[in-house]
Amino acid sequence: MNITFRYAQLTDLPKIVAIYNQTIKLKNVTADIRPVSVSERKEWFASFSNDSHPLWVLINEEGEIVGWVGLEPFYGRAAYEKTAEISLYLDENYRGQHLGTKTLGFISEHLKKLGIQNIVAFIFKQNTASLNLFKRHFFEEWGFLPQVAQIDENYLDLVIMGRHFANDQ
């Protein structure tokens, strides 16, 4: 599948939220346990900057948004400015079509221009598809937080995956 990337616009927010909300029912992708609303995500959306920490949407050949990826500041302190947290979500109808691989390739091509040298991803251990995707792209386990989330009666472990890109650029 051919996809293109473009910076997200506020008019994309309903679709971004809809894709995000699809993952809540999986109970191993996000720590949100109820759907979020567009109005709840407006401040989050406004926190992105195309110059340093962008939010992109993935567009298929028909012009539909089929996913999104964002690079958010990590931990909010100056010493971490070259590190970003990645969030990557795909529409449930487009998973398993290598869009995650294409997206991580796209991201790596833009890091130098953004001044980002490191990426961290917070992934539940129970989300094996995401863990495998990031491992295939040379992310390593940088941390492990056992049973830090509870969804229904299940306790989930959080894996912190990371990769240094400074040597790749």
Side-chain angles (χ1 to χ4, degrees), residues 10 13 41-50 53 55:
L10 187 57
L13 189 54
R41 296 301 273 184
K42 282 186 179 178
E43 185 176 328
W44 166 84
F45 182 89
S47 73
F48 287 93
S49 162
N50 292 349
H53 293 88
L55 177 64

Side-chain angles (χ1 to χ4, degrees), residues 98-119:
H98 306 289
L99 298 183
T101 293
K102 291 176 182 180
T103 300
L104 290 178
F106 171 82
I107 291 295
S108 67
E109 294 171 7
H110 288 80
L111 294 179
K112 185 175 184 177
K113 177 181 77 169
L114 297 168
I116 295 172
Q117 295 180 355
N118 312 296
I119 293 182

Side-chain angles (χ1 to χ4, degrees), residues 12-50:
D12 300 327
L13 189 54
K15 184 62 177 178
I16 290 168
V17 168
I19 290 170
Y20 179 79
N21 283 338
Q22 290 174 353
T23 65
I24 294 171
K25 66 184 174 193
L26 300 175
K27 300 183 181 194
N28 70 351
V29 176
T30 180
D32 279 312
I33 57 176
R34 64 167 183 78
V36 299
S37 69
V38 172
S39 63
E40 289 173 318
R41 296 301 273 184
K42 282 186 179 178
E43 185 176 328
W44 166 84
F45 182 89
S47 73
F48 287 93
S49 162
N50 292 349

Side-chain angles (χ1 to χ4, degrees), residues 9-154:
Q9 303 165 0
L10 187 57
T11 55
D12 300 327
L13 189 54
K15 184 62 177 178
I16 290 168
V17 168
I19 290 170
Y20 179 79
N21 283 338
Q22 290 174 353
T23 65
I24 294 171
K25 66 184 174 193
L26 300 175
K27 300 183 181 194
N28 70 351
V29 176
T30 180
D32 279 312
I33 57 176
R34 64 167 183 78
V36 299
S37 69
V38 172
S39 63
E40 289 173 318
R41 296 301 273 184
K42 282 186 179 178
E43 185 176 328
W44 166 84
F45 182 89
S47 73
F48 287 93
S49 162
N50 292 349
D51 296 329
S52 62
H53 293 88
L55 177 64
W56 288 283
V57 289
L58 288 66
I59 309 292
N60 69 7
E61 295 151 340
E62 289 78 38
E64 302 168 316
I65 296 173
V66 297
W68 59 270
V69 60
L71 296 175
E72 299 180 64
F74 174 74
Y75 205 60
R77 297 204 173 109
Y80 298 114
E81 78 176 25
K82 297 201 179 289
T83 300
E85 177 185 346
I86 189 170
S87 296
L88 169 58
Y89 290 86
L90 301 173
D91 183 289
E92 61 192 354
N93 298 311
Y94 295 90
R95 294 180 195 144
Q97 298 181 37
H98 306 289
L99 298 183
T101 293
K102 291 176 182 180
T103 300
L104 290 178
F106 171 82
I107 291 295
S108 67
E109 294 171 7
H110 288 80
L111 294 179
K112 185 175 184 177
K113 177 181 77 169
L114 297 168
I116 295 172
Q117 295 180 355
N118 312 296
I119 293 182
V120 294
F122 296 89
I123 304 170
F124 287 129
K125 178 184 172 188
Q126 293 79 359
N127 183 353
T128 56
S130 289
L131 282 174
N132 290 335
L133 169 68
F134 280 84
K135 287 176 184 176
R136 282 193 309 272
H137 288 273
F138 308 105
F139 281 73
E140 302 170 313
E141 185 176 316
W142 286 359
F144 182 79
L145 303 172
Q147 299 183 356
V148 295
Q150 181 180 358
I151 299 178
D152 297 332
E153 300 304 316
N154 298 312

